[in-house]
Amino acid sequence: MDPSESESLPASSSPINSASASAVEDPLSSPYASLNSHCHDLSTLQDLACRGAWRTILDKVARSRSLSLLSRPHEHLIYLTFNVLALVKLRRFADAQQEFETLDDDLGSKQYQFESFPDQYPNNKSGSMVPFALRWLHAHLPFTLGDRQLSLDRLYVLLHFIRDTKLSRNRDSVTEISIDLWRKRETFVINSIVSHHLTLKEFKVCLYLLKSETSKLEDPFMVSKLGYVQMQYGDLEGAKRSFELVEKMVEKSEGGDANSNSNSNLKNLVGRNKALTYLVGKDYVSAVREYEACMERDASDFVAINNKALCLMYLRDLSDSIKVLESALERVPTVALNETLVVNLCSMYELAYVNHADIKKTLSTWIARVAPDDFDTSCTRI
Amino acid sequence: MSSGSSGGAGGQPATHSLAFRVMRLCRPTLHVDNSPLKFDPCDLLFGEDLFDDPIAASHLPRLLGGQSSAAAVDPADLSYRGRFLLQQPTDSLGLPGLLVLPQAFGAIYLGETFCSYISINNSSNFEVRDVVIKWFRSCIMVCEFWPVSSGYARVELNFEDIDLLNYAISRTKAAEIQTERQRLLLLDTSKSPVESIRAGGRYDFIVEHDVKELGAHTLVCTALYTDGDNERKYLPQFFKFMVSNPLSVRTKVRSVKDNAESAVVITEVMLMKSNLRPVSSVNMLFSLNKLSYFVMIKSIFSQDTTFLEACIENHTKSDLYMDQVEFEPAQYWSATVLRAEYHSSEPSSVLSETFKEPILIKSGGGIYNYLYQLKFSSPDKTQFKAESSKILGKLQITWRTNLGEPGRLQTQHILGNPVTRKDIELHAVDMPSVIMLEKSFLVGLNLINLTDRVLGPFQVWVSEGGSPDEKAVVVNGLQRMTLGEVQPHSSLKFQLNLIAVKHGIQKISGITVYDTVEKKTYEALFEMEIYVDLE
């Protein structure tokens, strides 16, 4: 498939935006007509990723490279990003590092800017070609190779990069969509940082970072995370207050939002938080009740399913807890097949059966058939 | 992390139909994923600056149309898009709220609750009947006998107790006897034994035990049952673990009394001329017949203020959240906790209420200090002085770890500084209102005998002191004065004739009292500051 060449139509005034008067829009040859016109066979890559077929992605990238199917610089970068991501998903971290070695250390260098290739990108197209995920992967990789501190450093540098160069720009010079994207990326990086601090049990830093993120009280999910952190180190009273705040936020937003889908998401969030509060108070029966209400609203709420199973165990009902997890894997495998859920199920098997090796083998075989490439099979502890 | 059992330490070839599976059931943890690896499609499919261009930006919604991750997850959708695309921005935190069962036995600390899930499995092909389950904290053992058709007593023994072993060997063909010693029974179903466990079936129970002692613990779980061959069998399961101390508390007590090293503040104030006697507890006022009067505040604190500093050190492997740390004062004592004022530089908001700074003590050696101000108030003043060792009270500590797992401990009685029992005390009872330079003056003093015996006779003098300077206040006349005996709990008044050789604020010090009978010297009993006026 030959990517469409740059437009050679006469320069007439664009009905879209007078600021770029020299650019023209021809729906048939526009580079934004579809994913594939933007980049060779991109929709296939996307589809493979959604199906968890990371090994296939590696093959595809290798083939595209060897057959020189990628003609434009930005396509190489996108394919490289997918390649790195696939390697990281498959836990082949050293290979991912090797991919990075083919790149310049500085992802902001000229060779990754549109301006450096005026033949390929006419009409004064400018800016960085680097997909943002590649920057993040570059920061994340040292952690996978054992150097968490370097990853944290890189993430903080990335955060400053976003805040100082992208979010501080004059509003008039950039599109709303762009600003919006960079804000999302800022949140993305902060969340990664918090995740590391949380694993290191640096709770006060987590609180500080989360506090600044939730100060505008926009996202009830974020405030819930704050509650989870408080629960994790034992501040039950604090967690309760956070959850009450979440409930208030959801009540306020519920009035305006007609989208029933996000409504059930929010209702389930509130329900799961309530259940957690019951759980830490050892009222497992009420917790189960709340989780069941969540599952009624959304049969694929695997957090509710998993946690309900645990509550049943604490109620001395090992058999039913196993049934809940097994039935979820049967009914909604693509949602329920989650490493943590499998860890819990295997712990239950080890408790319930003297000869648990057999039943774990059965589970393992089933997983091998159904699971995506990136599923970490070590969770079955076989 | 479940573990099984295979019978007791009796050397008997035990083929049991039943087997124990055990798992420690402390609270679950919230799973944290450092690499959820979920992305916004815009961050992968397009260059990061692509949508700076308004034309590109206008196409974005359409380009992403088929990739929307916010769409409802259709059960028929067999894709794993949930592992790849962000459904919520917070997904990248990797804290979905998923609970995980405890994966390891972990450490057990004093003050915690030990909780365990126990499953008794019948792995045989036959039903098992009349299962009596006992679960106890054992120090020694239990020994049970029951008649067995072949005529010998079958015994399952624990370790350590030789006496009981001998006893067991000496008995044969006994009826069912139980000998138990020092066991803390935690669960006993002998009154209502489990009727049966079918082949391949299970009987579960959960046991909780508050850990109140340090050191090695053995928890024993026993099942007494009738198997498929109609044999009565006994299956014990032993659980050994160490209980260690989670915290150490170090306390420091400081009592601030009168005449102690405290701030001396001299201020010039306008006061009515008054002739106040020095009061032993709070302050002393001198008045002069001049316009300005000097107020000397000798001691800021009242007599009976004690400060207790408690330092809590965390010896566990996890951070401890201090849920409640309370000082319970003893009788007649009251306590106030002193906290530093926390002034946040950020403006207070709805959030600042929710997110108060938690008191978290870091694992493996972290510390945190608490400060209490204690006051003694009793209608009977002598109560305070009478106690040679003061019991101030106890510290009650409640901490929490993951998901609020609680632990509770109480310290021993915290003691105050022992009051040194004084034998004698010296007070000034009469001071002249004006003291002039190089003019002798009389100071009335009272010597109090605090003991139960007769003290004295005494000799009183003013010592030179170690200072190279000449003393400012010296005795006028005989340097040594003799006093008679003083009866128990009684006092003796006398006068010292003094003369001040320097002007300004000076000290009367160095008054030494010597007991001629007990040959004891009492120094530094009395000190006072005076103002020596010029002509």
Side-chain angles (χ1 to χ4, degrees):
Chain A
M1 202 193 308
D2 206 5
S4 57
E5 287 304 296
S6 46
E7 302 87 323
S8 49
L9 293 159
S12 53
S13 58
S14 159
I16 309 278
N17 193 331
S18 54
S20 46
S22 54
V24 259
E25 263 280 79
D26 176 358
L28 290 176
S29 58
S30 155
Y32 310 118
S34 68
L35 281 182
N36 292 338
S37 60
H38 167 65
C39 170
H40 168 75
D41 222 8
L42 191 54
S43 58
T44 309
L45 273 181
Q46 174 77 343
D47 186 56
L48 287 171
C50 285
R51 287 196 275 118
W54 299 101
R55 283 193 271 265
T56 316
I57 288 180
L58 286 180
D59 291 338
K60 182 174 171 62
V61 172
R63 201 165 28 86
S64 304
R65 283 170 172 175
S66 66
L67 296 178
S68 303
L69 297 174
L70 309 171
S71 52
R72 289 174 294 173
H74 78 272
E75 293 181 319
H76 282 284
L77 275 175
I78 292 174
Y79 268 64
L80 189 140
T81 308
F82 269 91
N83 211 41
V84 172
L85 179 55
L87 289 167
V88 171
K89 283 269 187 188
L90 294 169
R91 290 174 294 286
R92 287 170 53 179
F93 305 123
D95 293 339
Q97 179 67 18
Q98 288 235 311
E99 275 286 291
F100 267 113
E101 255 131 55
T102 65
L103 288 175
D104 198 304
D105 265 344
D106 176 18
L107 289 174
S109 84
K110 284 263 174 263
Q111 60 182 293
Y112 305 127
Q113 310 268 7
F114 287 115
E115 303 88 285
S116 309
F117 306 92
D119 307 324
Q120 304 263 18
Y121 308 108
N123 305 320
N124 297 321
K125 197 178 177 76
S126 68
S128 159
M129 299 188 278
V130 176
F132 178 74
L134 193 62
R135 283 192 194 270
W136 184 86
L137 284 165
H138 177 250
H140 179 72
L141 211 53
F143 160 64
T144 64
L145 295 165
D147 191 350
R148 190 193 287 270
Q149 200 50 55
L150 182 56
S151 270
L152 261 177
D153 289 346
R154 285 187 180 174
L155 284 168
Y156 274 107
V157 167
L158 187 55
L159 184 61
H160 286 299
F161 165 77
I162 297 173
R163 285 177 169 165
D164 299 341
T165 63
K166 300 295 179 184
L167 287 178
S168 59
R169 289 180 291 183
N170 192 343
R171 285 301 192 91
D172 302 327
S173 61
V174 240
T175 61
E176 197 57 44
I177 284 187
S178 186
I179 293 277
D180 194 46
L181 277 175
W182 282 108
R183 273 215 205 95
K184 283 195 197 148
R185 288 162 186 170
E186 183 193 20
T187 303
F188 188 76
V189 174
I190 291 178
N191 286 349
S192 307
I193 292 175
V194 173
S195 171
H196 283 293
H197 284 301
L198 197 53
T199 313
L200 292 169
K201 309 260 170 84
E202 291 165 351
F203 296 113
K204 296 213 173 169
V205 183
C206 293
L207 284 180
Y208 172 77
L209 288 167
L210 286 173
K211 210 161 132 174
S212 59
E213 277 209 38
T214 53
S215 58
K216 293 205 201 83
L217 291 182
E218 285 161 347
D219 188 353
F221 283 89
M222 194 53 111
V223 181
S224 298
K225 305 297 176 193
L226 199 31
Y228 301 157
V229 172
Q230 288 169 306
M231 267 199 175
Q232 188 68 338
Y233 63 75
D235 182 1
L236 301 182
E237 284 306 312
K240 208 162 91 174
R241 285 196 295 269
S242 300
F243 293 152
E244 280 164 9
L245 207 56
V246 172
E247 220 177 325
K248 278 201 204 99
M249 287 165 73
V250 168
E251 270 166 22
K252 239 200 272 182
S253 72
E254 219 144 73
D257 204 321
N259 186 342
S260 65
N261 197 35
S262 65
N263 233 348
S264 78
N265 267 347
L266 289 173
K267 282 205 175 85
N268 273 19
L269 176 68
V270 173
R272 290 197 302 269
N273 292 349
K274 270 213 191 93
L276 262 182
T277 313
Y278 284 127
L279 193 146
V280 295
K282 295 192 145 187
D283 182 359
Y284 300 110
V285 175
S286 301
V288 168
R289 203 187 53 228
E290 285 294 336
Y291 284 129
E292 279 173 350
C294 290
M295 286 155 73
E296 194 84 16
R297 269 179 238 124
D298 175 7
S300 60
D301 185 347
F302 76 100
V303 178
I305 294 170
N306 175 79
N307 292 1
K308 174 185 164 184
L310 255 80
C311 288
L312 289 172
M313 233 199 101
Y314 282 79
L315 284 170
R316 207 166 60 93
D317 195 352
L318 184 56
S319 312
D320 279 338
S321 64
I322 291 178
K323 280 205 196 91
V324 167
L325 293 183
E326 285 178 338
S327 102
L329 287 172
E330 225 177 308
R331 276 185 313 111
V332 283
T334 53
V335 190
L337 189 51
N338 170 289
E339 282 83 342
T340 308
L341 197 143
V342 172
V343 164
N344 284 334
L345 183 55
C346 289
S347 296
M348 291 174 189
Y349 282 155
E350 285 164 13
L351 185 57
Y353 299 98
V354 179
N355 302 315
H356 48 81
D358 293 337
I359 193 154
K360 287 211 285 187
K361 198 80 187 37
T362 313
L363 176 65
S364 186
T365 314
W366 178 84
I367 288 175
R369 264 195 309 116
V370 171
D373 293 347
D374 58 314
F375 190 86
D376 187 356
T377 50
S378 68
C379 61
T380 55
R381 276 199 304 260
I382 291 187
Chain B
M1 70 119 249
S2 311
S3 55
S5 79
S6 53
Q12 311 269 354
T15 44
H16 282 281
S17 319
L18 294 186
F20 282 101
R21 303 293 303 163
V22 181
M23 178 167 126
R24 180 167 177 202
L25 208 63
C26 43
R27 291 195 188 199
T29 39
L30 281 169
H31 175 66
V32 180
D33 189 353
N34 274 150
S35 323
L37 294 175
K38 294 192 202 179
F39 297 90
D40 182 328
C42 292
D43 293 346
L44 277 165
L45 304 170
F46 312 107
E48 58 193 359
D49 289 335
L50 195 69
F51 299 108
D52 284 357
D53 174 6
I55 296 179
S58 65
H59 284 282
L60 178 58
R62 190 170 49 81
L63 280 173
L64 285 185
Q67 315 299 329
S68 171
S69 50
V73 177
D74 182 5
D77 170 15
L78 292 173
S79 85
Y80 285 101
R81 65 176 66 238
R83 291 172 72 92
F84 169 58
L85 298 173
L86 288 172
Q87 271 115 9
Q88 294 289 338
T90 54
D91 285 352
S92 43
L93 246 175
L95 189 59
L98 268 178
L99 294 169
V100 192
L101 286 170
Q103 293 300 301
F105 192 83
I108 302 185
Y109 296 103
L110 189 67
E112 292 182 337
T113 304
F114 173 75
C115 179
S116 176
Y117 194 110
I118 302 178
S119 182
I120 303 180
N121 286 297
N122 179 2
S123 54
S124 74
N125 297 322
F126 305 98
E127 190 197 33
V128 142
R129 285 171 291 113
D130 298 326
V131 187
V132 175
I133 301 160
K134 287 189 186 162
W135 166 246
F136 53 88
R137 155 106 192 274
S138 137
C139 297
I140 310 295
M141 53 154 286
V142 79
C143 170
E144 294 184 11
F145 300 80
W146 51 91
V148 175
S149 51
S150 57
Y152 66 91
R154 180 137 151 245
V155 166
E156 299 281 25
L157 287 179
N158 200 334
F159 38 92
E160 288 166 332
D161 197 333
I162 300 294
D163 292 357
L164 225 42
L165 176 62
N166 291 335
Y167 175 81
I169 291 168
S170 71
R171 301 279 306 209
T172 55
K173 284 204 269 193
E176 198 163 309
I177 297 172
Q178 285 177 13
T179 28
E180 45 209 64
R181 229 196 271 179
Q182 286 183 47
R183 49 180 215 179
L184 183 67
L185 203 57
L186 303 172
L187 173 81
D188 184 352
T189 67
S190 29
K191 296 234 169 67
S192 50
V194 179
E195 275 182 24
S196 78
I197 302 177
R198 61 174 177 80
R202 251 196 342 256
Y203 180 74
D204 297 344
F205 56 102
I206 293 181
V207 178
E208 282 190 13
H209 172 56
D210 288 336
V211 178
K212 294 202 187 97
E213 284 168 35
L214 284 171
H217 276 55
T218 308
L219 288 169
V220 188
C221 188
T222 66
L224 183 62
Y225 65 100
T226 309
D227 71 2
D229 298 331
N230 235 351
E231 269 189 64
R232 196 93 175 123
K233 288 198 173 157
Y234 175 76
L235 176 67
Q237 159 83 14
F238 306 108
F239 232 140
K240 282 163 99 163
F241 53 88
M242 282 296 289
V243 174
S244 27
N245 228 332
L247 311 166
S248 60
V249 183
R250 289 189 294 274
T251 55
K252 260 192 226 156
V253 180
R254 295 176 221 271
S255 313
V256 185
K257 297 176 259 214
D258 61 345
N259 302 329
E261 329 78 69
S262 41
V264 175
V265 177
I266 302 168
T267 45
E268 211 173 72
V269 292
M270 289 294 287
L271 272 185
M272 292 295 291
K273 178 173 179 176
S274 56
N275 199 357
L276 293 169
R277 286 224 209 111
V279 175
S280 62
S281 61
V282 180
N283 49 39
M284 297 198 303
L285 289 163
F286 282 95
S287 59
L288 300 169
N289 60 0
K290 286 197 175 178
L291 278 176
S292 55
Y293 299 81
F294 290 84
V295 175
M296 288 168 50
I297 303 168
K298 187 82 186 225
S299 161
I300 307 177
F301 307 107
S302 71
Q303 179 189 21
D304 302 311
T305 307
T306 306
F307 291 93
L308 172 67
E309 189 185 310
C311 173
I312 301 181
E313 183 175 338
N314 176 0
H315 297 298
T316 72
K317 295 200 190 83
S318 44
D319 295 351
L320 299 181
Y321 172 71
M322 290 291 119
D323 196 5
Q324 269 175 335
V325 176
E326 268 158 21
F327 182 77
E328 284 182 1
Q331 201 184 27
Y332 300 125
W333 286 98
S334 66
T336 340
V337 63
L338 300 177
R339 262 187 265 267
E341 283 286 305
Y342 178 71
H343 293 292
S344 168
S345 52
E346 299 147 29
S348 80
S349 60
V350 178
L351 286 181
S352 52
E353 248 310 297
T354 328
F355 309 139
K356 285 193 204 123
E357 280 292 306
I359 298 178
L360 267 172
I361 308 186
K362 276 255 151 216
S363 59
I367 62 165
Y368 195 83
N369 292 295
Y370 290 87
L371 187 61
Y372 298 91
Q373 181 179 27
L374 308 174
K375 280 204 161 70
F376 185 90
S377 52
S378 149
D380 181 8
K381 272 282 177 201
T382 60
Q383 189 95 21
F384 181 77
K385 296 199 158 87
E387 293 167 51
S388 52
S389 66
K390 295 187 274 183
I391 294 176
L392 298 175
K394 292 189 286 210
L395 210 55
Q396 286 258 37
I397 304 167
T398 307
W399 70 88
R400 289 188 188 270
T401 49
N402 76 288
L403 250 65
E405 185 99 64
R408 272 174 211 90
L409 277 182
Q410 226 180 35
T411 61
Q412 310 265 26
H413 284 301
I414 297 171
L415 304 173
N417 297 325
V419 178
T420 44
R421 296 185 122 255
K422 285 200 222 156
D423 288 345
I424 61 172
E425 265 184 20
L426 204 56
H427 290 299
V429 293
D430 202 2
M431 287 291 299
S433 49
V434 175
I435 297 171
M436 305 293 279
L437 180 68
E438 288 167 0
K439 289 234 163 74
S440 70
F441 61 98
L442 285 172
V443 176
L445 295 166
N446 196 18
L447 188 135
I448 304 170
N449 178 0
L450 294 169
T451 68
D452 292 333
R453 56 189 192 281
V454 174
L455 291 179
F458 297 100
Q459 284 192 345
V460 182
W461 66 86
V462 176
S463 68
E464 289 298 303
S467 138
D469 295 330
E470 225 183 72
K471 277 198 78 93
V473 180
V474 293
V475 173
N476 182 30
L478 282 176
Q479 293 302 298
R480 221 169 258 260
M481 170 183 266
T482 310
L483 298 177
E485 282 183 344
V486 185
Q487 296 301 310
H489 296 295
S490 169
S491 61
L492 177 69
K493 284 199 177 61
F494 65 99
Q495 280 186 325
L496 271 183
N497 195 326
L498 301 172
I499 190 163
V501 296
K502 292 188 191 163
H503 88 275
I505 295 168
Q506 304 296 342
K507 238 191 213 180
I508 301 176
S509 66
I511 298 180
T512 311
V513 177
Y514 175 68
D515 187 328
T516 53
V517 172
E518 287 187 12
K519 305 276 191 283
K520 243 175 152 177
T521 309
Y522 299 92
E523 288 171 315
L525 284 173
F526 180 81
E527 232 172 59
M528 186 181 275
E529 291 202 351
I530 55 168
Y531 181 76
V532 181
D533 216 349
L534 288 171
E535 236 12 276

